[in-house]
Amino acid sequence: MSLIHLSFYSAFTLSSLGLAFHRTHLISALLCLESIILSIYIGLSLWPVQNQATSFTLLPVLILAFSACEAGTGLAILVASTRTHGSDHLHNLNLLQC
Amino acid sequence: FILMLSLALGTMITITSNHWVTAWAGLEINTLAIIPLISKSHHPRAIEAATKYFLTQATASALMLFSSMTNAWSSGQWDITQLTNPPSCLLLTAAIAIKLGLTPFHFWFPEVLQGSSLITALLLSTAMKFPPTTILLLTSHSLNPTLLSTMAIMSIALGGWMGLNQTQTRKILAFSSISHLGWMTIIITYNPKLTLLTFYLYSLMTTSIFLSMNSTNTLKLSTLMTSWTKAPMLNTTLMLTLLSLAGLPPLTGFLPKWLIIQELTKQEMTTTATIISMLSLLGLFFYLRLTYCSTITLPPNSSNKMKQWSIKKPVNTLTPTL
């Protein structure tokens, strides 16, 4: 069972590193955010299988609903930044310098 | 206005939760509700602020969910107050620090406040800080006190230092918010009631300052200098509120600082208390500069723009007397 633990821990770590080190496009950050949520979803789906507690099977669906809303918001922000800044390049987000 | 209702709903859900997923859901509802509020004006700065806010808060929520999942895998339950797994405690501390804006995760906060309108900035710095603070309160007995104290001292230092060179009032208030968060966090493992007290008083004072600045529409220091022509009574009470935020003795803002220092000396942390008192002197400098610009001087450059005679809504002069 610890191989499965390792798989979604490493998926989470890789996605969060990808989110931290995104370089030019905003959309790569959104993709890494989605893969973080996906790894959490898989980990949570395995939990009632492991513990034989069937009352917790609804939990991943709830999380999926909220994270889908959040992904939609992220895409809307991407579209808005393309409308105002011209592209989703992160170098262009420098209007608010100290 | 349905977005405000969603904010209230999200806050209520997080406060009244004892399961990690309900806390996370409330935080997500808050994030989703405030993104359209930030980006309402379709100005490029507002969209940029919304982008930065969204990315940081979404990573913090995902980190929080992951830490609760690892805690559930290792201990078999989802209760908020029973956080037993040490790596998940660390991840949760990092997630809440990102959500609140504690150092070293504070970089998004001044820019997001700068890009949003004054009322939205008020909501961002008072109402959006309340649910993560409640989660911190619920889990404070199992978090690492050294880490929290280090982050708090660094927050007070950075909030004071980086506020010194600012001329935009929203960024100044952002840095004051960061340093007040440091004051709140330093006492949380010893006496959580003082954290709540500091939070309530801070949000009250910040609300009055933001509302005063919204009435006179001051976004820069130069605008603050000519605001005495618009509503003189508001200006004097704004000065008193600013000095209260700085923490000067006869005003209300001194009370949390005094009680926190007293509690820290009771816990034999006198060097910490001395360090944070010294560091709040840095904040005092820019609060004094704000009061100097707003009330004490009557500079000759009051002939900038004629539009400064317009007040957006009837001025509530009682707000700063809170």
Side-chain angles (χ1 to χ4, degrees), chain B residues 303-318:
Chain B
S303 59
N304 283 352
K305 302 176 240 319
M306 283 314 287
K307 88 171 180 73
Q308 291 177 353
W309 280 104
S310 64
I311 307 177
K312 276 206 265 191
K313 57 178 192 270
V315 171
N316 188 9
T317 50
L318 284 182

Side-chain angles (χ1 to χ4, degrees), chain B residues 224-228 232 235-240 242-243 248 284-300:
Chain B
L224 196 60
M225 279 190 180
T226 59
S227 63
W228 61 274
N235 219 7
T236 44
T237 44
L238 177 67
M239 171 184 99
L240 284 176
L242 275 171
L243 290 178
L248 287 185
L284 185 67
F285 173 71
F286 62 79
Y287 291 125
L288 276 178
R289 186 168 63 188
L290 278 177
T291 54
Y292 175 77
C293 291
S294 70
T295 319
I296 304 179
T297 61
L298 299 178

Side-chain angles (χ1 to χ4, degrees), chain B residues 63-100:
Chain B
L63 261 180
M64 193 181 295
L65 197 61
F66 184 70
S67 77
S68 61
M69 190 177 75
T70 49
N71 185 41
W73 273 107
S74 74
S75 65
Q77 44 80 30
W78 286 90
D79 200 21
I80 289 189
T81 53
Q82 317 236 348
L83 201 61
T84 50
N85 195 14
S88 52
C89 289
L90 192 66
L91 280 178
L92 181 73
T93 317
I96 293 189
I98 297 176
K99 275 219 176 274
L100 283 177

Side-chain angles (χ1 to χ4, degrees), chain A residues 68-92:
Chain A
C69 294
E70 197 169 0
T73 315
L75 286 172
I77 285 181
L78 179 76
V79 167
S81 80
T82 312
R83 281 186 68 168
T84 57
H85 288 268
S87 68
D88 63 343
H89 283 240
L90 293 164
H91 303 297
N92 294 350

